[in-house]
Amino acid sequence: MDSAGLSDQPYVSAVRSRIQIVEDEQIVAVDIESSLNSMGYDVTCISKTGKDAVLCAAKDHPSLVLMDIKLKGKMDGIEAAAIIRRESRIPVVYLTANTDMAILERAKRTEPFGFLVKPFNNHELMSTIETAIYRHRMEVRLQESEQRFRSLVENAADAFYVCDAAGRVVDANEAACQALGYRPEELLSLRASDFNPEISAERISLLLDQAMAQDGPITLKGRHLRKDGESFPVEVRITSFVSEGKPLLLALARDVSEHERLVSELREAVRKVNSLKSIVPLCVLRKNLSNAEDIQQGIRTHHDTVMSKGVCTECLNAFKEDVGKAKGTYLRPGSESQSSSQAQPSPRALPK
């Protein structure tokens, strides 16, 4: 057993990670380096002071730093670890022979990835290193995933906002701020009921329970209220998730003002078409139109003409000619000698 308490039993790391050692006792540092090499790790450097540890970490960017808490010089291991975590985001495992609770509490505030209390053996060393590296990789992946999600949310055209179980807005994207007319800090001080009066705290709680119980999102329709008092129609899709042990509602709100305008225009167009039913039939019958495309073309051809007696002027005049021809065909025998003026129908007798 050496001075650090390391056994000679070999362990081999599955992935060749790079480790930085920060230890001011040369013999202990060399023993740790030898053990790490036997387990398949690469040692990037051995630092004796906190200042040197910070510089080496920034230059070499190792997979993990083994940091002795008590170091010579003005900067101890805790202060050096805090700088490395803040500037280089490298995981740190503390080495210490001191179990003083005050020191440990101070060390915990730097978010270490583990503690090794001297003396320790190779199994303890390797298991601590592997656990810390794995945890760090998972945290990096989670942070990258959160950043991608945040980027998608922030660049989305639709409004996203997150509410807690009491209806308080705990997060929102830029589109939500613009849609509602609030600055980000203002929106985060509101409750959902401030811009959606139909959503009370009780309903938020019910929606949260419902969203957690079902697989797909909940879709609601309503109106949102802007800061200036103007309201607008929205369609809201709601789902739930858990953050730090607390259930939250994620709402995607889409302004459907344009959609409702188009629906209104379509309904008005249908109403106008229906109002032409008293006008179209005579024209359609006269032209012997049967299919929908021909009828629509007939409507387009005649809709701007001057209307008279339920038929356009062009078809009315043709209709008069048809009536005159029909009357001439059905004259009584012996009446062929009537003058043309007598055979023609009186204008007063024809529909105008």
Side-chain angles (χ1 to χ4, degrees), residues 68-318:
D68 189 15
I69 289 181
K70 295 187 68 175
L71 297 173
K72 295 176 182 179
K74 296 181 179 179
M75 185 186 297
D76 67 1
I78 297 176
E79 185 178 352
I83 296 173
I84 290 172
R85 288 286 292 146
R86 182 176 65 251
E87 295 183 355
S88 303
R89 305 303 299 171
I90 298 170
V92 174
V93 169
Y94 284 119
L95 310 177
T96 182
N98 191 334
T99 56
D100 180 82
M101 289 305 298
I103 293 177
L104 292 178
E105 285 297 324
R106 178 169 164 251
K108 282 167 60 177
R109 288 195 289 271
T110 64
E111 301 178 351
F113 281 72
F115 288 87
L116 276 171
V117 179
K118 300 175 184 178
F120 49 82
N121 58 42
N122 281 5
H123 177 74
E124 293 170 336
L125 177 62
M126 184 176 183
S127 61
T128 302
I129 289 174
E130 289 300 310
T131 300
I133 290 176
Y134 177 79
R135 177 186 157 197
H136 177 66
R137 286 173 180 165
M138 293 302 101
E139 288 190 359
V140 169
R141 289 181 185 178
L142 179 60
Q143 290 171 358
E144 291 175 348
S145 177
E146 289 176 345
Q147 289 172 357
R148 287 194 297 270
F149 177 74
R150 169 58 64 180
S151 177
L152 288 172
V153 168
E154 285 299 329
N155 293 299
D158 295 324
F160 280 86
Y161 56 88
V162 179
C163 295
D164 63 14
R168 291 183 290 263
V169 179
V170 298
D171 199 3
N173 68 346
E174 181 62 26
C177 296
Q178 292 180 359
L180 296 171
Y182 291 99
R183 296 193 302 273
E185 61 273 16
E186 292 177 325
L187 189 53
L188 295 181
S189 67
L190 301 180
R191 293 177 181 267
S193 57
D194 292 325
F195 54 84
N196 189 345
E198 297 178 358
I199 302 294
S200 62
E202 293 77 10
R203 192 175 182 194
I204 284 285
S205 180
L206 292 174
L207 287 172
L208 186 56
D209 292 341
Q210 183 181 348
M212 294 184 69
Q214 69 180 51
D215 295 331
I218 302 169
T219 302
L220 302 174
K221 291 186 178 181
R223 299 190 72 83
H224 276 179
L225 194 64
R226 292 191 178 93
K227 182 179 179 180
D228 60 10
E230 182 183 355
S231 68
F232 59 97
V234 291
E235 180 179 271
V236 185
R237 294 172 66 85
I238 297 173
T239 187
S240 65
F241 67 100
V242 177
S243 177
E244 298 180 356
K246 297 179 181 179
L248 299 172
L249 276 181
L250 171 64
L252 182 155
R254 175 168 295 176
D255 186 340
V256 293
S257 300
E258 180 67 9
H259 172 74
E260 290 199 354
R261 183 187 68 80
L262 293 174
V263 169
S264 177
E265 289 184 357
L266 178 60
R267 287 174 179 167
E268 177 62 17
V270 170
R271 186 194 65 79
K272 289 181 178 179
V273 169
N274 289 335
S275 70
L276 293 175
K277 287 182 178 179
S278 62
I279 298 173
V280 173
L282 288 176
C283 297
V284 171
L285 289 173
R286 174 183 173 271
K287 293 179 177 294
N288 196 27
L289 303 179
S290 58
N291 63 66
E293 291 185 2
D294 291 340
I295 293 173
Q296 290 176 358
Q297 181 59 42
I299 293 173
R300 285 193 292 268
T301 302
H302 295 279
H303 82 284
D304 288 331
T305 60
V306 179
M307 310 308 295
S308 173
K309 298 294 182 182
V311 65
C312 66
T313 306
E314 176 189 346
C315 291
L316 177 63
N317 292 333

